[in-house]
C-alpha cells in the first residue's frame, strides 16, 4: 500500500489521485462487508463564501478494531484524514494515511483534534444542510467497509475563528 510521506509537506496532486482510487476500490468491496463500525453524531462545520475547506467530525467506534483509511463526498474534490500537531506554539494540521480505531473504543473526531478534511469544496455549506460523506474503514484482515454518513452542517462558531485552522484564513497555506 502506498503511504503518504509524513515528513514532508503534503502534496495535493497526490492526494487527489490517491483518495479517488481508494474510494473507487472500496466501493466495490463495500457490499460484502458486514457493518461493524458505528458513527455517532456526524457533523460538518459550515463555511462562508470563498472558503474552500472545512472539517467533518463524528465519534467512530469499531467493534473489532480497524482504521479509517479514506473518505469521499460529492461536495468536496478532495477528502483527507487530518491530525493536529503543535509546531512550536502554533497548532497545525496535517494529512495522515490512516487513523487507528482500537476495538470497542470510541474515537472522537473533533475540532482541535483528528478530523476528516473536506477540501476543494464545490459549494458553500450552510447550517442545517445535510452533507453525504463516505468513510472507508479497513479491518485488521484488510477487509474494507464503507460507512455512508449524512452529516449535518453546523454554523461556524462565533469565537476563536482566527485561531481555527478550519476558518477562512486558508488551509495548508493555500490562497484562493
Ligand atoms: Cu484539516
Amino acid at each position: 500500500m502506498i503511504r503518504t510521506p509524513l515528513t514532508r509537506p503534503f502534496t495535493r496532486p497526490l492526494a487527489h489521485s490517491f483518495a479517488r482510487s481508494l474510494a473507487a476500490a472500496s466501493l466495490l468491496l463495500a457490499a460484502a462487508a458486514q457493518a461493524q463500525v458505528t458513527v455517532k453524531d456526524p457533523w460538518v462545520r459550515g463555511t462562508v463564501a470563498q472558503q474552500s475547506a472545512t472539517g467533518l467530525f463524528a465519534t467512530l467506534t469499531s467493534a473489532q478494531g480497524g482504521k479509517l483509511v479514506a473518505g469521499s463526498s460529492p461536495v468536496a474534490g478532495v477528502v483527507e484524514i487530518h491530525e493536529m500537531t503543535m509546531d512550536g506554539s502554533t497548532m497545525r494540521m496535517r494529512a495522515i494515511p490512516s487513523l487507528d480505531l482500537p476495538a470497542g473504543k470510541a474515537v472522537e473526531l473533533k475540532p482541535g483534534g483528528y478530523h476528516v478534511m473536506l477540501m476543494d469544496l464545490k459549494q458553500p455549506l450552510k447550517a442545517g444542510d445535510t452533507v453525504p460523506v463516505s468513510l472507508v474503514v479497513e479491518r485488521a484482515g484488510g477487509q474494507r467497509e464503507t460507512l455512508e454518513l449524512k452529516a449535518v452542517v453546523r454554523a461556524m462558531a462565533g469565537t476563536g475563528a482566527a485561531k481555527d485552522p478550519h476558518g477562512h484564513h486558508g488551509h495548508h497555506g493555500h490562497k484562493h
Side-chain angles (χ1 to χ4, degrees):
M1 175 176 168
I2 301 165
R3 287 191 177 270
T4 305
L6 295 177
T7 51
R8 64 184 175 82
F10 200 71
T11 54
R12 299 185 78 193
L14 175 63
H16 275 264
S17 57
F18 184 50
R20 281 183 186 148
S21 58
L22 274 180
S26 65
L27 286 175
L28 297 173
L29 298 172
Q34 189 178 358
Q36 61 102 26
V37 178
T38 57
V39 181
K40 205 175 111 193
D41 194 23
W43 65 281
V44 168
R45 191 188 295 268
T47 65
V48 295
Q50 310 305 323
Q51 184 179 344
S52 63
T54 192
L56 164 78
F57 310 96
T59 301
L60 307 179
T61 307
S62 169
Q64 297 162 30
K67 57 187 180 177
L68 177 64
V69 295
S72 63
S73 172
V75 304
V78 176
V79 176
E80 297 178 349
I81 304 162
H82 279 191
E83 69 173 358
M84 305 297 298
T85 56
M86 291 304 292
D87 178 7
S89 60
T90 307
M91 211 170 193
R92 298 188 190 282
M93 58 179 155
R94 64 176 184 178
I96 53 175
S98 64
L99 171 62
D100 279 338
L101 302 174
K105 184 170 182 284
V107 175
E108 201 178 354
L109 309 183
K110 60 184 179 183
Y114 293 111
H115 56 278
V116 172
M117 200 77 196
L118 307 181
M119 300 162 70
D120 288 355
L121 293 176
K122 295 165 184 174
Q123 65 204 59
L125 305 179
K126 295 191 182 67
D129 286 356
T130 300
V131 176
V133 179
S134 301
L135 297 181
V136 180
V137 173
E138 185 177 294
R139 292 194 221 173
Q143 293 163 294
R144 290 190 164 184
E145 176 183 349
T146 299
L147 314 170
E148 304 291 351
L149 317 186
K150 295 252 183 281
V152 176
V153 179
R154 293 186 190 168
M156 290 279 296
T159 58
K163 292 180 195 167
D164 188 342
H166 297 112
H168 53 83
H169 294 278
H171 179 68
H172 293 309
H174 288 269
K175 301 268 191 257
H176 294 276

